[in-house]
Amino acid sequence: MKTLNDYQIALDDVMEFIDNNLLEAKLREVEADYNANPSLLNKVRLGIIYHEVALNLGFFSKQYKGYAQKSLTILSECEANPETPEALQPFILSYEASAMALVAGETFKLSLIGKSFKLFETAIKKYGAVHYLPEFMRGSVAENLPWFYFSKRALAKIDFENIIRKEAQNPEYASWKIMSFVYWAWAKQHPQRKYRAQAIAYLQKAIELDPHYLAGRKRSEELLSQFTIDN
């Protein structure tokens, strides 16, 4: 029986893209894999890659409009499938909730934002103690909401701080890749001078974790440079 870590390894290559060229190449690969072998795992991979396409390309290219809904439909089907293993659900629920928020952004159906955060809450209650993804995805959505969602935007700070705390207690809780993004996100959320020393320390951690610029290093270096100028 596969574990959470097994599924993390199996899904890692379709999560968190910073290079759109690599994303488009991976999209073609994942679609081809699913067409050749429409297994449950390949279906989840397809739902996640569609989410990444919607997030990174959908708002800038007409070619990729509708991928958020494609992702939501696929992941909802995977969640409801009685054969879906429990260890796969944290990934499905987290990306499903985020896809729902992306659909809300594309269609202006703002009621979906509330549904998205209810699903995030379910995922965090069930799996937040054992896996970073529910809080990481909710924090990522929350920090990008319009200002009038101030109560939901406030969750971003809580979520990323929780991940940092849990990773400190258990270094296996989240990967170097995720922590690089999380440390950068925390620093970005705390630009005030009273947090400057901690923010700089976290940015330096984000940079050290990502020597090959595969995660949050570039953004961290840019923010660190800005903080240095401000000082």
Side-chain angles (χ1 to χ4, degrees):
M1 182 176 293
K2 290 186 176 181
T3 65
L4 266 172
N5 189 57
D6 292 331
Y7 284 120
Q8 179 69 46
I9 294 169
L11 297 172
D12 189 65
D13 66 316
V14 294
M15 298 162 60
E16 297 304 318
F17 285 82
I18 59 173
D19 185 321
N20 287 343
N21 291 326
L22 289 177
L23 174 56
E24 289 182 300
K26 181 61 70 171
L27 170 64
R28 293 190 291 270
E29 175 190 320
V30 173
E31 287 181 325
D33 288 345
Y34 180 74
N35 289 333
N37 176 22
S39 65
L40 176 61
L41 180 58
N42 278 346
K43 187 171 184 177
V44 173
R45 283 171 58 82
L46 187 66
I48 292 176
I49 201 71
Y50 281 171
H51 170 279
E52 295 299 287
V53 168
L55 176 64
N56 293 286
L57 302 172
F59 292 99
F60 308 104
S61 171
K62 291 182 179 180
Q63 177 184 353
Y64 295 112
K65 294 297 182 187
Y67 273 75
Q69 183 59 61
K70 286 183 180 183
S71 174
L72 178 58
T73 299
I74 289 170
L75 294 171
S76 296
E77 291 171 356
C78 292
E79 181 201 349
N81 187 334
E83 296 183 4
T84 299
E86 188 75 9
L88 197 48
Q89 289 288 13
F91 303 92
I92 294 170
L93 289 174
S94 300
Y95 276 95
E96 181 186 354
S98 183
M100 197 177 294
L102 289 174
V103 172
E106 278 194 7
T107 63
F108 302 104
K109 294 179 180 177
L110 299 186
S111 62
L112 291 176
I113 296 293
K115 293 179 180 178
S116 167
F117 275 76
K118 286 181 180 178
L119 189 56
F120 274 130
E121 185 66 26
T122 297
I124 290 168
K125 284 182 178 178
K126 285 186 174 182
Y127 307 112
V130 294
H131 202 266
Y132 72 87
L133 195 58
E135 285 175 303
F136 180 76
M137 296 298 287
R138 187 176 73 171
S140 299
V141 171
E143 68 176 354
N144 288 300
L145 289 174
W147 67 269
F148 49 83
Y149 285 105
F150 53 87
S151 62
K152 289 182 172 62
R153 282 171 58 91
L155 293 170
K157 289 184 179 180
I158 295 170
D159 289 337
F160 291 126
E161 285 176 354
N162 281 342
I163 292 170
I164 291 171
R165 174 178 54 79
K166 292 172 187 176
E167 195 272 342
Q169 295 169 347
N170 172 19
E172 301 299 316
Y173 183 74
S175 70
W176 66 268
K177 182 179 178 182
I178 292 303
M179 292 311 300
S180 179
F181 285 122
V182 168
Y183 287 132
W184 164 75
W186 191 97
K188 185 179 63 154
Q189 293 165 355
H190 296 80
Q192 300 91 339
R193 289 188 179 277
K194 64 180 179 179
Y195 300 116
R196 188 57 49 86
Q198 184 64 73
I200 288 174
Y202 280 160
L203 289 172
Q204 290 171 338
K205 282 189 176 184
I207 291 166
E208 290 169 5
L209 287 169
D210 185 21
H212 302 297
Y213 291 90
L214 299 175
R217 178 166 183 162
K218 184 175 185 295
R219 297 170 184 173
S220 296
E221 287 179 339
E222 291 169 353
L223 188 55
L224 184 59
S225 176
Q226 181 183 324
F227 282 169
T228 303
I229 293 170
D230 289 347
N231 277 340

